[in-house]
Every structure is written in structure tokens, then in C-alpha cells.
Amino acid sequence: MNKVKILDCTLRDGGYYTNWDFDKSLLDVYFKSVEKLPIDVVEVGYRSLPQTHYLGEFFYCPQFILNDIRKSLPSKKIAVMLNERDNAPENVASLLGHLKESIDIVRMAVDPVRFDSGLKLAEEIKKLGFEVGFNLMYMSKVMKSPDVFAKFPSMNGLVDYFSLVDSYGGVYPEEVRSAVEKCKEVLSMPVGFHGHNNVEMALINSLTAIEAGADMIDATISGMGRGAGNLKTELLLTVLNAQKKLSIDYNALSDVVSAFAAYQKKYEWGTNLPYMVSGANSLPQKDVMEWVGKNRYSISTIVNALNNQKENVMDN
Amino acid sequence: MNKVKILDCTLRDGGYYTNWDFDKSLLDVYFKSVEKLPIDVVEVGYRSLPQTHYLGEFFYCPQFILNDIRKSLPSKKIAVMLNERDNAPENVASLLGHLKESIDIVRMAVDPVRFDSGLKLAEEIKKLGFEVGFNLMYMSKVMKSPDVFAKFPSMNGLVDYFSLVDSYGGVYPEEVRSAVEKCKEVLSMPVGFHGHNNVEMALINSLTAIEAGADMIDATISGMGRGAGNLKTELLLTVLNAQKKLSIDYNALSDVVSAFAAYQKKYEWGTNLPYMVSGANSLPQKDVMEWVGKNRYSISTIVNALNNQKENVMDN
């Protein structure tokens, strides 16, 4: 068994590019390959109440889909994510109550300013018998905020997996090391790291997190994920394999990487100059993703807009 | 002025993908932008005797091209590279003797097993009045070889720029730190680092080299370069700008990055699963580049071939 657990969240985080719709043939390759790879947890999508605008099935993860996935991935833990901001504790029972056999872990994406609401939501999820994951966004801000960090011990005994999220894709390895070490001192549950690749630090940040004691690393096939994308699952596995820390079925890995390569050409995730600027300066990449996606703005227009944003941030 | 010098070798290293031919319109944007960016040295190609097979003009760099470049880049030092293996000391005068006004630096790519021949070639280049650069390949092997390292001081007083080359794209930041520190102890000239991006460590390795005292970093626009490619110039500049170590004309940077983006779609340099496997296991990427380029082999075939190579390496 791996000492460090690997969580693949390709469908959940990659869905930002496809509106959470994926081709059936891609899904077949994905599930078949992932089942053969040393991945411990597969986060397959969001679980959500009905929205006013169209979003694909992996944004909702209805029970019949989750049950199909369970059959395809008999050796894996299955996770779904909730956006804490969009899900009130009183809705949790109707959202998740009937899914006890279909999923193992419910992770929440939590903005640090809503830490207390995150705890309340975690309590309701826990009551239903799920393992609870707590993904805390904006780690670069969090670790500089003594108020938020002081609340960390209140997760002990309630939260089963805690992860630091490098939302801007701009943290450096030494910041990751320090943050993971601080978390390990006060938290009793496994501590994870979710990196973004704006400045191509997702791998070194994740390896540094492991060195510092992290128990779980998030990654996605080909790095498919919001904005500049995530740590590439194939890169993490290849490097850990070269370090003799795990074995890989390279046929399975090649199959799934090839399948996503075609998708990458269509959706073009990955870093680029605007994402580098947003990452290096800790600016939100949500705006950049919208500007880049629209193909209406030149790189130069976007980069200059980001630089204005940076100046304003520094003026305030 | 920058404390750390930046050398852009897009045309020299990118030529491996285009046979050292570049569109005139791309070159115009490249020179116009680079002149406005905080780049100190521009390595524009190889200088070579006639070859039996076709290679484009930036493999030969005839004087009329070098003189045009000099006019386009009045504020930059101009460098060309020689492959040490292919250039005997007795040919240096005919190869370079007439170019004193056209170029500033002649860098040699030297295999560590040919270190002594490298010194002889350096002497001939130096006699002609050029600054001499010594790029030592296979740094992961070199730093484990006391025999080669013992020869380093013989470069003092002869070589003007020494650079460690991560030829396999597989060294880790701590290896870079240690290697640069060891070089700085015994060498009197500026020490540089030339990274490859197989496992997406080119940036962190370069930043670590700078921390350890490196004086020069090599990079290419969009990472265009042999195999998995190089450190991206735009990434290095953006990160150093965010660290307030230099200013950037982001319009110029956007222009040149956009121009190369179209080329990248055509030639598809950058890392992928086969390059990750070769980098993580320190296997030569020359073979991989040939296999990937032929489009005749599936990723799975290449990866399995690389794994067989790895097993053999370990068996020996």
C-alpha cells in the first residue's frame, strides 16, 4: 500500500472546462485505467441542488451514476465535493441521505472566511455516516491569518481529511513545507495538499508536502482542472515510481493520458502567460479563466488587466 | 541591472524542432520583443561546418544573419553555440575568425567524457578574442564523478561562463543547490544553470540555482527546446518580476509568447508521459524525441520501451 494516499479529482476539477459533461468513451477509459492505478480515492464530481443554468451530470452526480462508478471502481474510495457556500446544513440530508452505499467521502470546498459554516456543514455530513473532507481554499492567506489557524483544532474528531488548497497556484515549496508542518502539529486527521500549476510548482510543492508529512495529494489526469490546472496524476505517479515508492501499470496510465490528450487540445487547459501572472502575484484565476475562455481578449490585454489588478491590490 | 543574467536560447534550442528554420515574421517579433525585455544574452543558433544533410540557417549562422541580428539587438550580448564533439580546434579560426564584430560569446556544449577536448577548443576560441562559455552536459552524472569535478579548476582564467546542464531533465532542486554551491567554491567565472522541463522542475531548479549563487539562467520562449523543452523565459521573467527583481514590458512579452504559441501547436514541444518517464529515470531524451516525433508509436509503446531501458540500466 502507498504511504501517501493519492486522490484523483479529474472529473470534478476538469468539469470546469466541460461543464461537467464528459464523453462516454472517455469515461470508460478513465474508470478502467484508474481502477488499475495506485490511486486511493476518486473524486468524481460535485453533488448539488438543482441550478438555474445548465450544468452536466458530474455537477450533480445522481445516484444511478454513482452506483455505476462504484461498480467500475470496486477497489477505490469514491468521493464527491460540495461547495460549502452553496449548501446549507439543513439541505444535507436530502442531498446525501440516500447515498450512503454509493459514496465514501464527502469533501467540502471552504473559503477561510466561512470556516465556522464549514464546521456546521461537516457536522451534518458526519451525522449521515460519511467520511468528511475539508478543503480549505487560499492557503497562502490562511497561513498568514492567526485567527483562522487558531480554529484548526476544532476540526479534530469531526473532519476525516483536511487539505490545504493553493487556490492561486502561487505558493512556493518552503511555504508548503511550513504550512503542512504547522497543520500536522495541531490536527489529528490526515493532512493533504491540492496544488495548481500556474507557475509549474504543483509537483515540487506536492513532493515537498509529502516530505513535510502530508498524507494525501490531489492530482488530475493531464492536470485537467480549473484555470492553469492541477498537478498531473501521471507526473506524480511517474516520479513516485522512479523513487520506487509505488508500482504502475504503464499501459493503463498511457491509455488514460492518451484519451485526455485529445480533450486537452479541444479545451486547452494548462498554464499560459495570464495564468503565470495571476499565480505569481496571487490574483484570483477565476477572472483569468473567463477572459482567456472568451477568446475575445489578446494575451496582452489580459496581462495588462492583471497588472492593473496587482497594482490596486498593492495600493490597498 | 539584473543581478542574475538571463540567457535566452530559443532559436538555438528550439531549432531542434524546426531544423533551425524559422518564419521571418516570427523572427521579427522575437527580436523586437527580446530587445525590450530584461534578457542579457541571446544565443541565436549553432555555428557549424557544412553538414551532409539539410539544416536551416540558424544551425550555421552565417555572418550576414549575425550582422542583421546585431542591428536588431543593439543592447544585448550575442552568443552562438558549438557542439564540441563536432568541432576540432584546428577548424575554429575558419569557423569564427571573421566574426569578431558579429558575436560576443561562443558557448560550447561539452560531454563530460570529453572535458579535456573542451578545454582545448576553449583555448582556440579564446585566442580569437571571444568570451567562452562552457556548457557541461549530464550534470547528474558529473556531480557524482570526482574525476570530472577535479578538473573544474582548469577552467579558471580560460572560461568566461560555465553552465551546468540538466540534460535528462530529472534533477531535483536540492541536487541543483549542492552542485551550484560546489561549483562556486572552485570556479572563478560566473556559474549558470540550463534546465529541462521533463518533470516540470525547470523553474524551481533555476530559482534554487539563483538562491545557491548562480549568476546566469538559460531559458527559451514558451520553453521551446529539445525534447520536453526548457525553462520558459516568460515564466522566469514573470516570477522574478513578482519578486520585484526586474521590470517587464508585458506588451513585448505577450507579443513574443503569442507568436510562439502558434508554433507550439504545430511542433508540440513540451513534456508528456514519455518525457516524464525519461526525465524521472535519467534516460536520454534524444531517443524519446525521435519516437514521439515519428507519430508511429503509441505512448504506451514508448513508455514500455523506456521502462525496458530503465530495467537494463538498473541491471548493469
Side-chain angles (χ1 to χ4, degrees):
Chain A
M1 276 301 291
N2 315 331
K3 197 172 157 279
V4 176
K5 289 193 191 307
I6 298 173
L7 180 148
D8 187 277
C9 49
T10 306
L11 302 181
R12 199 272 302 166
D13 218 344
Y16 283 95
Y17 276 95
T18 66
N19 233 340
W20 291 274
D21 275 323
F22 294 92
D23 293 341
K24 175 77 171 60
S25 58
L26 185 80
L27 291 170
D28 287 347
V29 177
Y30 176 76
F31 291 123
K32 200 172 162 189
S33 300
V34 163
E35 176 61 17
K36 294 179 187 163
L37 292 171
I39 287 164
D40 303 275
V41 181
V42 185
E43 187 172 79
V44 296
Y46 284 100
R47 185 76 192 135
S48 315
L49 293 173
Q51 308 283 310
T52 49
H53 54 295
Y54 176 78
L55 288 159
E57 56 189 5
F58 289 87
F59 195 78
Y60 299 105
C61 289
Q63 189 167 22
F64 75 94
I65 285 191
L66 292 169
N67 290 348
D68 282 352
I69 293 172
R70 177 71 94 190
K71 278 181 215 145
S72 305
L73 298 174
S75 73
K76 309 299 179 188
K77 283 202 179 191
I78 308 296
V80 295
M81 182 168 263
L82 302 187
N83 275 320
E84 182 281 321
R85 188 187 300 273
D86 303 330
N87 289 284
E90 57 269 27
N91 293 332
V92 164
S94 63
L95 200 62
L96 299 170
H98 55 301
L99 299 175
K100 185 66 194 73
E101 301 303 313
S102 314
I103 48 183
D104 304 293
I105 304 172
V106 178
R107 290 214 298 181
M108 310 171 305
V110 183
D111 187 319
V113 301
R114 297 181 54 93
F115 192 93
D116 297 334
S117 311
L119 288 179
K120 288 195 189 109
L121 193 63
E123 280 169 22
E124 294 305 312
I125 296 168
K126 190 78 179 171
K127 276 185 201 162
L128 297 173
F130 299 102
E131 291 191 297
V132 179
F134 195 112
N135 269 27
L136 192 59
M137 301 190 283
Y138 312 119
M139 68 174 280
S140 50
K141 281 188 191 166
V142 169
M143 300 316 290
K144 288 174 199 149
S145 157
D147 291 354
V148 177
F149 187 66
K151 295 177 179 179
F152 276 28
S154 53
M155 290 187 282
N156 289 334
L158 168 62
V159 169
D160 298 286
Y161 304 93
F162 172 77
S163 283
L164 290 160
V165 181
D166 175 19
S167 303
Y168 299 135
V171 298
Y172 284 78
E174 290 315 306
E175 294 171 72
V176 175
R177 184 187 304 279
S178 154
V180 170
E181 284 173 355
K182 282 175 78 176
C183 289
K184 292 293 290 184
E185 276 171 25
V186 301
L187 296 178
S188 58
M189 77 293 295
V191 170
F193 174 72
H194 179 102
H196 284 124
N197 211 30
N198 296 58
V199 296
E200 298 190 350
M201 294 252 192
L203 177 66
I204 188 66
N205 281 340
S206 299
L207 295 178
T208 305
I210 294 172
E211 263 181 34
D215 307 280
M216 190 157 79
I217 298 296
D218 291 5
T220 65
I221 302 293
S222 306
M224 186 180 194
R226 178 144 58 162
N230 301 86
L231 170 60
K232 296 174 178 76
T233 303
E234 64 271 28
L235 181 57
L236 179 66
L237 292 180
T238 298
V239 167
L240 293 179
N241 174 253
Q243 296 176 350
K244 303 192 194 312
K245 290 187 181 153
L246 46 77
S247 321
I248 306 179
D249 177 339
Y250 272 106
N251 288 321
L253 188 58
S254 302
D255 287 348
V256 68
V257 167
S258 301
F260 276 86
Y263 247 54
Q264 199 280 333
K265 281 192 183 156
K266 182 170 172 191
Y267 294 104
E268 300 191 320
W269 65 84
T271 197
N272 57 31
L273 185 54
Y275 286 126
M276 290 172 193
V277 174
S278 72
N281 297 287
S282 293
L283 301 168
Q285 59 184 346
K286 196 180 150 205
D287 294 346
V288 190
M289 191 170 170
E290 200 172 303
W291 297 335
V292 172
K294 279 184 178 158
N295 278 325
R296 266 198 288 135
Y297 306 105
S298 68
I299 296 184
S300 148
T301 308
I302 298 172
V303 168
N304 285 324
L306 282 167
N307 266 296
N308 292 339
Q309 227 173 310
K310 180 175 80 172
E311 299 304 322
N312 287 334
V313 168
M314 292 197 306
D315 283 351
N316 288 340
Chain B
M1 277 298 292
N2 314 332
K3 196 172 158 278
V4 176
K5 289 194 190 304
I6 297 174
L7 180 148
D8 187 278
C9 48
T10 306
L11 303 181
R12 199 272 302 165
D13 219 343
Y16 283 94
Y17 276 95
T18 65
N19 234 341
W20 291 274
D21 275 324
F22 294 91
D23 294 341
K24 175 78 171 61
S25 57
L26 185 79
L27 291 170
D28 287 347
V29 177
Y30 176 75
F31 291 123
K32 199 171 163 190
S33 300
V34 163
E35 177 62 17
K36 294 181 189 162
L37 292 171
I39 287 165
D40 304 276
V41 182
V42 185
E43 187 173 77
V44 296
Y46 284 99
R47 184 75 192 138
S48 316
L49 293 172
Q51 309 283 310
T52 50
H53 54 293
Y54 176 78
L55 288 160
E57 57 190 4
F58 289 88
F59 195 77
Y60 299 105
C61 289
Q63 190 168 22
F64 74 95
I65 285 192
L66 291 170
N67 289 349
D68 281 353
I69 292 173
R70 178 70 94 190
K71 277 180 215 144
S72 305
L73 298 175
S75 73
K76 309 298 178 187
K77 285 203 176 187
I78 308 295
V80 294
M81 181 166 264
L82 301 187
N83 274 321
E84 181 282 321
R85 188 187 299 273
D86 304 331
N87 289 285
E90 57 269 27
N91 294 331
V92 164
S94 63
L95 201 62
L96 299 171
H98 55 302
L99 299 177
K100 185 66 195 76
E101 301 304 313
S102 313
I103 48 183
D104 304 292
I105 304 173
V106 178
R107 290 214 299 181
M108 309 171 306
V110 184
D111 187 320
V113 301
R114 296 179 56 91
F115 191 93
D116 298 333
S117 312
L119 288 179
K120 286 194 191 107
L121 194 64
E123 279 168 23
E124 294 306 312
I125 296 168
K126 190 79 180 170
K127 276 185 202 161
L128 298 172
F130 299 102
E131 290 192 299
V132 179
F134 195 113
N135 269 25
L136 192 59
M137 300 190 285
Y138 312 120
M139 68 174 282
S140 49
K141 282 186 189 168
V142 170
M143 300 315 291
K144 288 172 198 150
S145 158
D147 290 354
V148 178
F149 187 67
K151 296 177 179 180
F152 275 29
S154 54
M155 291 187 282
N156 290 333
L158 169 62
V159 169
D160 298 286
Y161 304 92
F162 172 77
S163 283
L164 291 161
V165 181
D166 175 19
S167 303
Y168 299 135
V171 298
Y172 284 77
E174 289 315 306
E175 295 171 70
V176 175
R177 184 188 304 278
S178 154
V180 170
E181 284 172 355
K182 282 175 77 175
C183 290
K184 292 294 289 182
E185 277 171 24
V186 300
L187 296 178
S188 58
M189 77 291 297
V191 170
F193 174 72
H194 179 102
H196 284 126
N197 211 29
N198 295 58
V199 296
E200 299 190 349
M201 293 253 192
L203 177 66
I204 187 68
N205 282 341
S206 300
L207 295 179
T208 305
I210 295 172
E211 263 182 32
D215 308 281
M216 190 157 78
I217 299 296
D218 291 5
T220 65
I221 301 294
S222 306
M224 187 179 194
R226 178 145 58 165
N230 301 86
L231 170 61
K232 297 173 178 77
T233 303
E234 65 270 29
L235 181 57
L236 179 65
L237 293 181
T238 298
V239 166
L240 293 179
N241 173 254
Q243 295 176 353
K244 304 192 193 311
K245 291 186 180 153
L246 45 76
S247 321
I248 307 179
D249 176 340
Y250 272 106
N251 288 321
L253 189 59
S254 303
D255 286 349
V256 68
V257 167
S258 300
F260 276 86
Y263 248 54
Q264 200 280 333
K265 280 191 185 159
K266 183 171 173 192
Y267 293 103
E268 298 192 322
W269 65 84
T271 198
N272 57 31
L273 185 55
Y275 286 126
M276 290 172 193
V277 174
S278 71
N281 297 288
S282 293
L283 300 169
Q285 58 184 348
K286 197 179 148 204
D287 294 346
V288 189
M289 191 170 169
E290 201 172 302
W291 298 335
V292 172
K294 281 186 175 154
N295 278 324
R296 268 199 286 135
Y297 305 105
S298 68
I299 296 184
S300 148
T301 308
I302 299 171
V303 167
N304 285 323
L306 283 167
N307 265 297
N308 291 340
Q309 228 173 308
K310 180 175 82 172
E311 297 305 321
N312 288 335
V313 168
M314 293 199 305
D315 282 350
N316 287 340

